[in-house]
C-alpha cells in the first residue's frame, strides 16, 4: 500500500530510479482505475449511438432489420443511405480524457522505471504517439463509416492504415511493458544510485 501512496506523492518527480516492486502496484491501480473510468464514460455514448441506430431502423424498415428477443434487441442496417453520422466524438472524448489522465499519472513513474534500466523516459512517448494518432484516426474512420455509400476504396485504405497504426501501437506497448518488467541495472547509472 505504501508503494501506491508513494507513486501518487511522486507523480511530478521525473528524476531518479524506481524498482519494479515500487512501480507495478502503483501502475496496476492507475490502469485498473482507467479501465473502470473508460467503461463508465463510454456507456452513455454507446447507449445514445445504439438508440440512434434503432430509431433509424424503426423509421426505415426497408433499410434495416430489427430482431427482438425477451432479453435483447439486434439491429442490422442493410442500407445506411440517409442515416446521420454517428456521434463518435461523444465516445472518443471520454476515452481521450481518461487516457490523458492515465498518461499524466504514469509519466513520472514510467520515466523513473526506465531510468532504472538506464534508459531515457522519452522512450515512453513512442506508444503514446501511436495511441494518440490511432484514437484520432479511429474517430475519423467511424464517422465516415456511415456516410460512404458509392466508393468504399477510401474507407478500406483508411481502415487498413488505422489498423496498422493500432498494431504498431500494440507492438510498441508490448516492448515497453517488457522494458518496464525487466530488472534494473545494478549499481549507479547516469540517473542516480540504485534504489533500495
Amino acid at each position: 500500500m505504501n508503494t501506491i501512496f508513494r507513486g501518487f506523492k511522486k507523480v511530478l518527480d521525473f528524476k531518479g530510479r524506481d524498482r519494479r516492486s515500487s512501480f507495478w502496484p502503483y501502475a496496476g491501480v492507475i490502469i485498473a482505475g482507467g479501465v473502470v473510468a473508460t467503461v463508465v464514460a463510454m456507456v452513455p455514448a454507446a447507449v445514445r449511438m445504439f438508440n440512434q441506430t434503432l430509431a433509424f431502423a424503426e423509421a426505415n424498415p426497408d433499410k434495416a432489420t430489427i430482431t427482438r428477443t425477451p432479453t435483447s434487441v439486434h439491429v442490422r442496417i442493410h442500407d445506411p443511405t440517409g442515416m446521420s453520422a454517428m456521434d463518435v466524438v461523444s465516445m472518443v472524448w471520454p476515452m481521450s480524457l481518461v487516457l490523458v489522465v492515465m498518461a499524466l499519472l504514469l509519466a513520472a513513474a514510467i520515466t523513473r522505471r526506465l531510468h532504472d534500466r538506464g534508459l531515457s523516459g522519452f522512450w515512453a512517448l513512442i506508444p503514446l504517439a501511436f495511441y494518440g494518432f490511432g484514437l484520432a484516426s479511429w474517430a475519423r474512420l467511424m464517422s465516415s463509416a456511415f456516410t460512404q455509400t458509392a466508393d468504399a476504396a477510401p474507407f478500406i485504405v483508411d481502415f487498413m492504415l488505422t489498423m496498422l497504426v493500432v498494431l504498431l501501437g500494440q507492438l510498441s506497448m508490448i516492448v515497453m511493458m517488457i522494458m518496464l518488467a525487466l530488472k534494473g541495472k545494478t549499481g549507479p547509472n547516469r540517473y542516480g544510485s540504485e534504489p533500495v
Side-chain angles (χ1 to χ4, degrees):
M1 201 61 138
N2 288 339
T3 58
I4 296 168
F5 291 127
R6 182 182 169 277
F8 282 108
K9 285 180 192 172
K10 295 183 79 171
V11 76
L12 297 175
D13 184 5
F14 288 82
K15 295 184 187 325
R17 299 166 60 176
D18 268 351
R19 289 192 179 277
R20 293 178 287 185
S21 60
S22 297
F23 172 77
W24 286 110
Y26 171 72
V29 166
I30 298 300
I31 292 167
V35 168
V36 169
T38 300
V39 170
V40 168
M42 287 177 54
V43 165
V47 168
R48 277 192 304 275
M49 289 172 70
F50 179 76
N51 288 337
Q52 179 184 353
T53 305
L54 182 61
F56 175 81
E58 288 171 338
N60 300 283
D62 56 319
K63 296 180 179 183
T65 304
I66 302 172
T67 307
R68 296 178 192 270
T69 69
T71 58
S72 65
V73 177
H74 300 274
V75 178
R76 181 168 181 211
I77 306 296
H78 307 291
D79 180 8
T81 307
M83 184 175 182
S84 59
M86 290 288 169
D87 182 19
V88 179
V89 173
S90 66
M91 208 173 209
V92 171
W93 276 111
M95 275 178 29
S96 300
L97 181 64
V98 169
L99 288 175
V100 166
V101 169
M102 285 176 61
L104 292 173
L105 289 173
L106 287 171
I110 289 172
T111 299
R112 291 191 308 272
R113 184 70 202 112
L114 289 171
H115 286 175
D116 194 40
R117 300 264 316 123
L119 301 167
S120 168
F122 288 112
W123 282 101
L125 294 177
I126 295 170
L128 196 61
F130 279 118
Y131 280 113
F133 184 74
L135 195 59
S137 182
W138 178 79
R140 191 174 66 82
L141 180 73
M142 295 312 298
S143 291
S144 70
F146 294 100
T147 57
Q148 284 192 338
T149 53
D151 185 15
F155 177 79
I156 297 298
V157 170
D158 284 348
F159 178 79
M160 296 304 286
L161 288 174
T162 300
M163 290 303 107
L164 177 63
V165 168
V166 169
L167 177 65
L168 291 173
Q170 295 294 338
L171 291 174
S172 67
M173 185 56 79
I174 290 168
V175 170
M176 179 59 58
M177 297 291 278
I178 291 169
M179 289 170 36
L180 294 171
L182 292 173
K183 187 177 187 300
K185 303 288 183 191
T186 54
N189 66 20
R190 64 183 174 154
Y191 299 106
S193 58
E194 187 174 356
V196 288

